[in-house]
Amino acid sequence: MSAPFEVGLDTFGDRTLSTSGTLVSHGQAIRDVVEQAVLADQCGLDFFGVGEHHREDFAVSAPEVVLAAIAARTKRIKLGTAVTILSTDDPIRVFQRFSTLAALSNGRAEVILGRGSFTESFPLFGFDLRDYELLFEEKLELFAAVRQQEPVKWEGEHRVPLKTGRVVPPVEQGLLPTWIGVGGTPESVVRAAHYGFSLMLAIIGGEPARFRALVDLYHRALKELGRPALPIGVHAPGHVAETDERAREQLWPHFLEQRTRIGAERGWPPPTRAQFEHEAGPDGAIFVGSPKTVAEKIVRTAKTLGLSRFDLKYANGAMPVDELRASIELIGTKVAPVVRESMERGA
């Protein structure tokens, strides 16, 4: 039998609005993330992912520390990143942090590796952006070797050659579940297949159906490499409230502020309400609405792309904590059961 379909949540630790209307501190945002993960576990969700960023607007720069705190207070939910910026980290330390998390959580740790959509970590940790591609390729190769939990012999351009025994602590439950976060480049898809890593598609704009070509490429690459089928997931933004109208009205001002702020850094124009409504519609990339609306859209996307998991990025800008908690409860108690049942019966 195939594994049950999984529904998870992702957050970057966005600094939210307090009851007085001001942004909470970074510390409070981190504490709130822990409480939100505990709630997700209580509501029966399958995964909780915390993204790594090094910016004023996101509180989490050391996700494994936050995940360890969550592990101590949860029982069943899987814990991972969304994503770990491997390009500016040390692959051995990344593995050790997650194998430690696996020990603390009794095997619930996963890692989603990526290059990151922001580049602040490069100057912060002394890396050259001109090495963007090579850094990720080399470090992914080393991580894949360490993950096998066997003696490692490796040589590359950006660190001294390595010859060592297996890296400790090992993961007691076998190989560490590892995903590659992909924003849309075929090279990243083939790379994930090459190393035998699961594929996580980050869909933040446009029709999710357009990613079907990347899914097909992943399947072909796995087959040509003689590897078995592996899980495919989607990470996408959204928000759930009791009605479609209420969910959209709660999300829109924060979505607008965040996209406008980030767009100013990257040369994008501010989004219009019409664009938001299109993305929030049946064929767009924003999963916002009532539990029924969001569940139907997740199921449609999952069947179109052949997914094993869907992770909703439930925190989008400075949304108040009470709205986030209400959304988590609805996702866990109203959305996820419908999605799982629909996927199980294939209807």
Side-chain angles (χ1 to χ4, degrees):
M1 294 180 63
S2 60
F5 190 87
E6 295 181 334
V7 180
L9 297 175
D10 288 338
T11 180
F12 299 161
D14 305 54
R15 294 178 65 192
T16 56
L17 289 176
S18 67
T19 53
S20 64
T22 59
L23 285 176
V24 302
S25 67
H26 292 84
Q28 185 59 53
I30 290 170
R31 292 187 288 274
D32 288 341
V33 165
V34 174
E35 297 301 328
Q36 290 155 19
V38 171
L39 177 61
D41 186 49
Q42 294 169 347
C43 291
L45 286 160
D46 300 298
F47 175 80
F48 194 85
V50 181
E52 173 192 353
H53 291 83
H54 304 274
R55 301 167 51 88
E56 280 288 332
D57 42 355
F58 301 127
V60 179
S61 61
E64 302 90 345
V65 179
V66 179
L67 292 168
I70 294 169
R73 296 189 53 198
T74 54
K75 300 297 184 183
R76 53 167 300 278
I77 196 165
K78 295 179 181 178
L79 304 172
T81 46
V83 298
T84 291
I85 306 173
L86 187 63
S87 305
T88 53
D89 210 329
D90 183 277
I92 296 174
R93 294 297 286 150
V94 170
F95 176 82
Q96 289 178 321
R97 295 197 297 266
F98 277 91
S99 62
T100 301
L101 179 63
L104 292 170
S105 64
N106 289 310
R108 292 184 283 134
E110 299 186 356
V111 62
I112 303 178
L113 303 172
R115 293 175 291 184
S117 60
F118 296 97
T119 60
E120 289 86 356
S121 63
F122 283 81
L124 185 63
F125 299 121
F127 293 97
D128 193 330
L129 264 174
R130 290 173 295 185
D131 298 324
Y132 185 83
E133 292 289 345
L134 183 58
L135 281 168
F136 187 69
E137 291 174 5
E138 283 198 356
K139 293 188 176 191
L140 191 62
E141 180 183 55
L142 178 54
F143 180 89
V146 172
R147 176 178 177 262
Q148 294 301 313
Q149 305 189 126
E150 297 174 354
V152 177
K153 183 178 180 181
W154 181 90
E155 185 172 343
E157 185 176 327
H158 286 278
R159 65 168 291 164
V160 297
L162 178 67
K163 184 177 181 181
T164 184
R166 70 171 183 170
V167 174
V168 296
V171 177
E172 296 170 310
Q173 295 79 13
L175 296 183
L176 176 69
T178 302
W179 304 67
I180 296 289
V182 175
T185 58
E187 294 81 6
S188 295
V189 172
V190 173
R191 188 183 289 124
H194 172 74
Y195 289 111
F197 294 158
S198 301
L199 184 69
M200 181 61 67
L201 300 168
I203 303 179
I204 60 173
E207 295 185 13
R210 67 190 173 92
F211 282 78
R212 183 68 220 190
L214 294 180
V215 170
D216 292 340
L217 174 61
Y218 183 60
H219 287 313
R220 289 198 305 272
L222 287 173
K223 185 176 181 180
E224 291 174 6
L225 291 163
R227 294 189 179 277
L230 292 169
I232 300 173
V234 157
H235 154 106
H239 178 65
V240 181
E242 291 292 347
T243 67
D244 289 348
E245 181 180 10
R246 185 173 184 183
R248 294 186 185 198
E249 290 307 315
Q250 287 179 346
L251 177 59
W252 163 244
H254 305 291
F255 176 88
L256 172 63
E257 190 280 329
Q258 186 178 63
R259 289 292 175 97
T260 300
R261 173 166 34 83
I262 294 173
E265 301 173 7
R266 302 186 177 188
W268 304 339
T272 65
R273 183 62 188 252
Q275 290 170 332
F276 171 78
E277 293 295 338
H278 175 75
E279 291 285 8
D283 299 320
I286 304 175
F287 290 71
V288 56
S290 68
K292 180 177 184 294
T293 295
V294 173
E296 289 176 349
K297 190 169 180 177
I298 291 174
V299 170
R300 188 163 55 250
T301 300
K303 292 182 176 180
T304 297
L305 299 180
L307 304 181
S308 302
R309 190 166 86 197
F310 185 94
D311 293 339
L312 187 74
K313 183 180 177 292
Y314 71 93
N316 301 278
M319 297 184 71
V321 170
D322 59 343
E323 293 180 6
L324 296 182
R325 290 184 60 85
S327 182
I328 291 170
E329 290 178 350
L330 289 172
I331 296 164
T333 61
K334 299 287 184 68
V335 175
V338 172
V339 171
R340 295 189 194 108
E341 182 182 358
S342 296
M343 295 301 294
E344 182 176 355
R345 70 171 188 261

